[in-house]
Amino acid sequence: MGRDVAQGAFSREDRVRYRQKVRRCLDVFALMLDDFGFDADRPMTGLEIELNLIDSTAEPAMRNEEILADIADPLFQTELGQFNLELNALPRLIEGTGFADYENDLRGSLARADERAAKSDAKILLVGILPTLTEQHLIEDNLSTNERYRALNDQIVGARGEDIELDIRGVERLRTHTDSIAPEAACTSLQFHLQVAPDSFADYWNASQAIAAVQVAVGANSPYLYGRQLWAETRIALFEQATDTRPDELKAQGVRPRVWFGERWITSIFDLFEENVRYFPPLLPICEDEDPVEVLHAGGVPRLGELRLHNGTVYRWNRPVYDIMDGRPHLRVENRVLPAGPTVVDMLANAAFYFGLARALAEADRPIWSQLTFSSAEENFHAAARRGMGAVLHWPGLGDVPVTELVLDVLLPKAAAGLDGFGVAPAQRDRLLGVIEQRCRTGRNGAAWQTDAVWAAERHRGMDRDAALHHMAQRYAELQRSNEPVHTWPID
């Protein structure tokens, strides 16, 4: 959410005023889209990485507050669980050696954070779901102390009116209940930001939706939860269920979930913000003093604080973002589908694949979304989350095709062309897309390595599942620090 919350209980008057302010912001946003000067001359990119803290035995370390104090770097922030941190990379252009700059900065920041974490007997792990988490770890008492998380928990649980059910059927099955949103803290993600012009936003968002399944398949890194092997990217199912404000009756009535793929291709960014206001009741009705109409008429740049806060509580896998930098407003696609890890180079390979492919498809003469139904894109997304590198996806002109074949034969050349359009140095382009290529040729991403490593520990070392998961997590932590891509990691 990115905002502190000073109050945890809200009155009817708060909600009425907030609804009015959100709609007022939406009206102003529509006016701005018609004739305001948005910053889009040179599209900046950004990365956010959510991190896990573990102790020497690979158990979650509930110490983010003291570790943040030691790090003393504004690029690091709290996240939902006390075993989580978030690292925000400095935004930059990816032309030239931009990816190399990202790599140097991220490795430096993570090394410094690891050094500080060691003072608290902890270290950082980059993984989609920490494989050693149990139900005893994911409880309300282990939420971060920041009041905004407590307020969000109270509002989601209160809106549902009953315990949240988790029911994930994969290789094995997990079925349990929770009385808080704490299980959401297990979902540690990698988020990409891409600045776009208003008139091209819909093309980039539609392209991002179309390729979300491919991203998840090749980048999956979350196969375990509560000791069970579930989906290749279990984070998708867990996040969808852990923040669901709907009891069964509302699901049956077709009420939209707060974690949402969407239901249609769009023609403007306004479509997404308008859907947010129309479909989703406010969770945190906190008003600012700004009158956006007055600011706009005075020639200023409205913050649209209520609209932005509301947008932050609708968890689209590709989220629209309105923001202001150096006094100029801009728009971004926030791509939220991927897990953290396994290494910095793996994450930047995922970034290069996304940025390049999104640009190539957004600027194509015949848009992919004119050939692929939205329902097929959503079905692809969940199939990819379940099967990872083994997924079979539906793609225009090819029918049902293995995702590795689709990437190698069709999408990697497009991604390369898209990166050329950004002006990425050829050596950077080839190195990072080469990581994606080798994952597809070896069939090994983070999820495949984790499941193979656990299988080897169980079969060859005679470990039970719990011991095998701890052994795997410790080995993962060692290999992560090499910054060698996961497809090269040894199993034993």
Side-chain angles (χ1 to χ4, degrees):
M1 287 166 19
R3 291 194 47 174
D4 289 338
V5 175
Q7 55 193 115
F10 305 103
S11 67
R12 291 182 181 180
E13 291 75 15
D14 291 331
R15 295 184 184 279
V16 169
R17 183 166 178 255
Y18 184 81
R19 285 180 190 276
Q20 293 171 344
K21 283 293 296 285
V22 166
R23 291 186 176 119
R24 193 169 178 85
C25 287
L26 188 64
D27 291 342
V28 168
F29 186 55
L31 295 173
M32 294 177 68
L33 289 174
D34 285 340
D35 59 9
F36 211 89
F38 285 83
D39 187 5
D41 299 335
R42 303 183 74 200
M44 299 288 283
T45 65
L47 276 73
E48 297 177 52
I49 309 170
E50 295 169 353
L51 317 170
N52 291 281
L53 297 168
I54 60 171
D55 64 19
S56 59
T57 66
E59 288 281 299
M62 307 293 177
R63 300 167 200 155
N64 66 353
E65 192 168 2
E66 63 186 85
I67 291 170
L68 267 179
D70 280 341
I71 293 174
D73 183 340
L75 295 179
F76 287 86
Q77 300 176 4
T78 57
E79 253 301 327
L80 183 60
Q82 292 183 28
F83 61 95
N84 299 142
L85 295 175
E86 181 179 273
L87 169 58
N88 295 281
L90 291 172
R92 56 172 42 88
L93 300 170
I94 55 172
E95 67 182 22
T97 60
F99 281 112
D101 296 338
Y102 264 134
E103 185 169 3
N104 290 334
D105 284 358
L106 289 173
R107 293 190 70 186
S109 293
L110 289 168
R112 288 191 297 274
D114 237 349
E115 182 182 315
R116 303 297 194 280
K119 297 179 180 178
S120 298
D121 298 318
K123 55 187 172 184
I124 289 169
L125 197 70
L126 302 166
V127 67
I129 294 178
L130 179 59
T132 56
L133 285 170
T134 67
E135 291 185 71
Q136 288 68 45
H137 295 129
L138 297 177
I139 59 175
E140 186 175 350
D141 285 348
N142 287 335
L143 295 178
S144 290
T145 57
N146 191 312
E147 189 58 36
R148 75 177 188 262
Y149 299 125
R150 307 283 173 168
L152 185 64
N153 177 74
D154 292 346
Q155 295 302 307
I156 288 177
V157 174
R160 186 178 176 92
E162 58 188 46
D163 282 358
I164 297 169
E165 182 181 24
L166 302 179
D167 187 359
I168 305 174
R169 306 179 193 199
V171 176
E172 298 166 355
R173 183 180 183 184
L174 171 68
R175 189 172 188 183
T176 187
H177 290 79
T178 175
D179 61 0
S180 77
I181 63 169
E184 184 195 337
C187 303
T188 38
S189 65
L190 169 65
Q191 298 163 22
F192 303 135
H193 291 256
L194 179 59
Q195 185 179 326
V196 294
D199 59 358
S200 61
F201 184 94
D203 293 343
Y204 275 87
W205 188 86
N206 290 340
S208 297
Q209 291 285 99
I211 64 177
V214 181
Q215 289 182 266
V216 169
V218 299
N221 194 30
S222 313
Y224 293 101
L225 177 64
Y226 294 169
R228 292 175 176 83
Q229 183 182 348
L230 300 170
W231 294 9
E233 190 47 42
T234 304
R235 198 183 106 266
I236 301 298
L238 178 59
F239 195 37
E240 289 178 342
Q241 295 182 23
T243 55
D244 199 341
T245 58
R246 307 166 303 160
D248 290 341
E249 295 81 2
L250 292 185
K251 294 178 187 178
Q253 293 172 36
V255 173
R256 278 80 173 172
R258 303 230 41 137
V259 178
W260 200 30
F261 189 80
E263 59 191 17
R264 61 182 176 126
W265 306 117
I266 65 168
T267 58
S268 166
I269 187 175
F270 185 81
D271 295 347
L272 302 178
F273 281 101
E274 191 274 334
E275 283 181 349
N276 288 355
V277 175
R278 179 154 42 105
Y279 293 144
F280 299 101
L283 288 179
L284 298 171
I286 301 165
C287 289
E288 299 186 0
D289 293 333
E290 175 191 80
D291 184 330
V293 174
E294 291 183 0
V295 173
L296 185 65
H297 287 167
V301 180
R303 279 183 40 80
L304 307 182
E306 292 80 10
L307 188 67
R308 293 162 70 185
L309 177 59
H310 187 54
N311 184 52
T313 62
V314 179
Y315 304 99
R316 295 178 184 271
W317 292 110
N318 283 292
R319 177 188 276 165
V321 175
Y322 166 85
D323 206 350
I324 302 168
M325 182 69 67
D326 298 328
R328 292 192 66 187
H330 68 261
L331 305 177
R332 304 194 302 267
V333 177
E334 181 186 11
N335 178 258
R336 302 160 49 83
V337 305
L338 285 173
T343 63
V344 170
V345 72
D346 280 305
M347 292 189 292
L348 290 176
N350 291 337
F353 187 53
Y354 167 69
F355 290 137
L357 190 53
R359 178 164 185 156
L361 294 185
E363 298 182 355
D365 292 334
R366 188 181 178 196
I368 187 67
W369 53 96
S370 70
Q371 308 166 63
L372 181 71
T373 66
F374 196 90
S375 60
S376 291
E378 183 173 16
E379 289 166 9
N380 281 347
F381 181 65
H382 286 100
R386 287 186 179 94
R387 297 292 306 279
M389 300 294 280
V392 174
L393 306 182
H394 182 78
W395 200 257
L398 299 175
D400 294 337
V401 58
V403 68
T404 52
E405 181 180 321
L406 174 64
V407 171
L408 290 171
D409 295 347
V410 178
L411 300 183
L412 275 175
K414 293 182 184 299
L419 292 178
D420 289 344
F422 279 113
V424 174
Q428 296 287 309
R429 175 200 66 202
D430 295 345
R431 177 190 179 223
L432 295 175
L433 293 185
V435 171
I436 303 297
E437 177 186 358
Q438 289 306 310
R439 274 193 222 154
C440 291
R441 295 199 185 282
T442 61
R444 177 162 292 162
N445 57 12
W449 183 88
Q450 287 190 54
T451 54
D452 287 350
V454 168
W455 186 91
E458 291 175 335
R459 301 302 189 279
H460 299 158
R461 296 175 180 267
M463 295 180 176
D464 63 17
R465 175 62 61 82
D466 182 65
L469 287 170
H470 282 77
H471 173 78
M472 179 269 284
Q474 288 176 310
R475 184 69 175 132
Y476 182 110
E478 295 169 4
L479 292 166
Q480 173 190 288
R481 281 152 180 78
S482 72
N483 200 38
E484 294 297 326
V486 71
H487 70 267
T488 68
W489 287 10
I491 291 300
D492 208 8

